[in-house]
Each structure stands twice: as C-alpha cells, then as structure tokens.
C-alpha cells in the first residue's frame, strides 16, 4: 500500500512541476547518453588501435644491420617512361656496413635452431626512375608477399624458383602499374632497371597504406636479381 501511495504522490509531483520535471528528466537522459557515447567511443578507439598495431605485425621482428644502408641513385629526371631508371642509368646501392647476408637469412629458417620463427623475409630497398618520378624497388625473398599480406590481382607472384634462378621479373603495386601503363595493361611488358630488363609478371591487388610504406606504389623483384643488378651481396634488413 505504501508503494502505491509513493507512486501516486510522485506522479502528482511530476505533473505539478512539469517544467522542473522535464529539465530533470532531460538532464538524466543527456547524462546517461553521454556516458554511453564516451564508452562506445573508447571501445571503438581501442579496437581501432589494436587493429592498427596488429597490421604492423605484433609478432614481427625487424633485424637491421649495425650501420644503415646508404642509397645513391641517379637523380637525372630524363629517362625512359617505361623503365625503372634511365637507359644505361644507375640504380646503385652502397652496402655500407651491412652485415646481413644470405647465410643469416637461411640460418633463421633452420627450424631446429629457431623453432619459433614461422617465416622470414630478406629485403633490399632501392629506387628507380619512371619518367621524372622516383619509385621504390624492393628486392626480396618470395615470402614477402605472404608475410606482408599482399595478394595478386593479375598475373602471378614470383616464387622460390624465380629467386633461385635470379630471374629478372617484377611484380608491380596496383597504383604503380596504373601510373606506368595506359589501361593498366602492364603484364608481359619490359621495364629497365639500371642495365637490366625486367619482365612484368604480376600486378598486386590494391591494399591499405601502412605506417612504413605504400605497397601500391612499390615494385617487387627477387632479391637475387636485385643483388645482381645493384652489384651487392647483403640485405638491407631481414
């Protein structure tokens, strides 16, 4: 009975002071809504940051040499629009004090010595000139596509056989392919890097740019071919 009387008095008081009651209810609604909005924003931001960190590779370690690579490229703006560099131009990379060798890379793949290493990528970073613009060239092991979550859109990726043979083949990022060739018709075309000719065998599917580079504007070649073209024998990083 007391509960009924309390409820009846409460209703009567609310309607007796409609303005005050409205403002009180409005304040409660705004307060609760603000708390819910802030919690949702916080949770959403947490998910976003976790996803971004995950994209960088939470289980990925980057091995760098004791001293950084130095790159020396021909900065002339003249050249073949369909080439990685000038005709007869340079694509030189100075090894500097790098100590990362193919033996280091192969040692990391030894499952008996390193059972917790799932995969490894050895890479050499350079650049080439297309017309009057410079783009990144990455010489790498075939595992780079799997580790970097890069998939093929047209053609094929280079594989371990291409790497072992030192084949002069190249896989282009989607935007780079579009910039170089009309109608993105790049498959089987020939590009020039330094003194060497590379055949385009594939174009990557478009992907998101990350904190370190934009795969859509990078060209990928076997590291053995890169070592031959650049005249070096050591990795930029693993």
């Amino acid at each position: 009975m007391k509960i009924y009387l309390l409820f009846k008095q409460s209703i009567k008081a609310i309607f007796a002071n409609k303005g005050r009651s409205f403002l009180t209810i409005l304040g409660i609604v705004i307060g609760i809504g603000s708390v819910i909005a802030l919690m949702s924003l916080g949770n959403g931001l947490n998910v976003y940051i976790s996803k971004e960190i995950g994209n960088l590779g939470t289980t990925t370690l980057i091995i760098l040499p004791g001293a950084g690579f130095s790159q020396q490229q021909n900065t002339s703006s003249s050249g073949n629009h369909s080439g990685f560099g000038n005709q007869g131009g340079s694509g030189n990379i100075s090894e500097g004090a790098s100590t990362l060798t193919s033996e280091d890379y192969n040692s990391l793949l030894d499952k008996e010595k390193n059972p917790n290493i799932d995969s490894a990528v050895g890479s050499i970073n350079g650049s080439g000139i297309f017309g009057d613009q410079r783009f990144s060239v990455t010489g790498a092991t075939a595992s780079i596509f799997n580790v970097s979550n890069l998939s093929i859109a047209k053609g094929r990726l280079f594989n371990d056989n291409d790497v072992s043979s030192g084949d002069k083949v190249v896989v282009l990022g989607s935007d780079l392919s579009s910039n170089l060739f009309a109608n993105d018709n790049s498959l089987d075309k020939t590009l020039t890097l330094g003194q060497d000719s590379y055949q385009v065998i594939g174009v990557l599917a478009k992907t998101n740019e990350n904190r370190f580079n934009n795969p859509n504007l990078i060209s990928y070649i076997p590291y053995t071919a890169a070592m031959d073209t650049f005249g070096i024998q050591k990795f930029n990083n693993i």
Side-chain angles (χ1 to χ4, degrees), residues 84 156-159 162-163 166-171 197-202 220-222 225:
F84 280 99
R156 69 175 181 87
L157 304 171
F158 62 75
N159 53 41
D162 296 316
V163 174
D167 293 340
K168 300 296 194 299
V169 292
V170 57
V171 176
S197 295
Y198 282 75
Q199 182 183 15
V200 179
I201 61 171
Y220 297 88
I221 62 177

Side-chain angles (χ1 to χ4, degrees), residues 108-162:
L108 291 173
L109 296 180
D110 189 330
K111 290 299 182 181
E112 291 186 4
K113 293 181 180 178
N114 307 295
N116 295 321
I117 295 180
D118 180 63
S119 184
V121 176
S123 67
I124 300 168
N125 300 324
S127 63
I129 298 174
F130 307 94
D132 58 354
Q133 299 184 54
R134 187 180 295 276
F135 291 88
S136 296
V137 179
T138 296
T141 53
S143 52
I144 190 171
F145 302 111
N146 182 49
V147 171
S148 301
N149 294 317
L150 300 175
S151 58
I152 197 71
K154 294 189 296 185
R156 69 175 181 87
L157 304 171
F158 62 75
N159 53 41
D160 290 331
N161 290 332
D162 296 316

